[in-house]
Amino acid sequence: AIARERRLLADLRESADLVLDTKEKKLQTSTVKKLGTRASHGCIRLTVADAKWIFDNVGEGVVVIASQYWGKRDMTSIKQIVSLSMRAGLALGLITMLAALLFPTQLLGLLTTEADVIAEGAVYLTIVAWSFGFYAVSQTIIAAMRSVENARVGLYISLVTLVFNIGLNYILIFG
């Protein structure tokens, strides 16, 4: 399982390098058009939906695998799984953050052609992008805690952040 996750992380890095041209600060549109098709070394370029699925479910994989090791009281394996998942989640979060910061209009252009929506969305995306790495880390930590029978902390953190998010949204939207 660990070898498979390392392979996936390497494929994600390769896909990100193929899609993002950081020197030119633009998306390589020829590569974007090939999303979902086979690439070099058996890599599959991820669609937005697939990347989001991985981003959202890295933590859930931690829960399943680490819970099995928790039942065996194998702390060394739990640490390895959480460490690997943390690195994978953080890497995906940072790749997503960089893409959103460097290419906000191009990314939104993949979803809509309305110039006003893209302009406003780009401003919002560059603000929110800074949270992607933190989100990946926090979700992995919460998942790891759930796997060792400590779900309350994750619940309390989620409730506090929900209230904080609602409050800030209200203040920022309605003044």
Side-chain angles (χ1 to χ4, degrees), residues 88-131:
L90 189 57
L92 189 57
L94 292 176
I95 289 168
T96 308
M97 180 187 78
L98 284 174
L101 290 174
L102 295 173
F103 316 109
T105 55
Q106 294 89 340
L107 288 173
L108 292 171
L110 295 171
L111 304 174
T112 184
T113 57
E114 296 180 39
D116 293 341
V117 173
I118 291 173
E120 289 297 319
V123 172
Y124 177 76
L125 188 57
T126 55
I127 293 169
V128 173
W130 294 99
S131 69

Side-chain angles (χ1 to χ4, degrees), residues 8 16 24-25 50 67-68 73 88-89 91-93 95 102 109 112 129 137 139-140 149 155 160 167-168:
L8 175 61
E24 298 289 325
K25 291 194 174 185
D50 291 339
S67 293
Q68 292 174 354
R73 300 293 186 233
L92 189 57
I95 289 168
L102 295 173
T112 184
V137 169
Q139 292 304 305
T140 304
E149 300 179 53
L155 171 68
V160 168
L168 278 178

Side-chain angles (χ1 to χ4, degrees), residues 39-107:
S40 60
H41 309 302
C43 172
I44 306 260
R45 293 187 180 101
L46 299 175
T47 63
V48 173
D50 291 339
K52 183 182 180 326
W53 184 89
I54 290 172
F55 193 75
D56 289 341
N57 290 293
V58 166
E60 297 308 314
V62 172
V63 172
V64 172
I65 296 170
S67 293
Q68 292 174 354
Y69 287 125
W70 177 252
K72 297 176 185 176
R73 300 293 186 233
D74 184 354
M75 300 303 160
T76 303
S77 295
I78 292 173
K79 288 177 185 177
Q80 289 175 340
I81 293 296
V82 171
S83 173
L84 182 60
S85 297
M86 183 69 70
R87 284 182 268 159
L90 189 57
L92 189 57
L94 292 176
I95 289 168
T96 308
M97 180 187 78
L98 284 174
L101 290 174
L102 295 173
F103 316 109
T105 55
Q106 294 89 340
L107 288 173

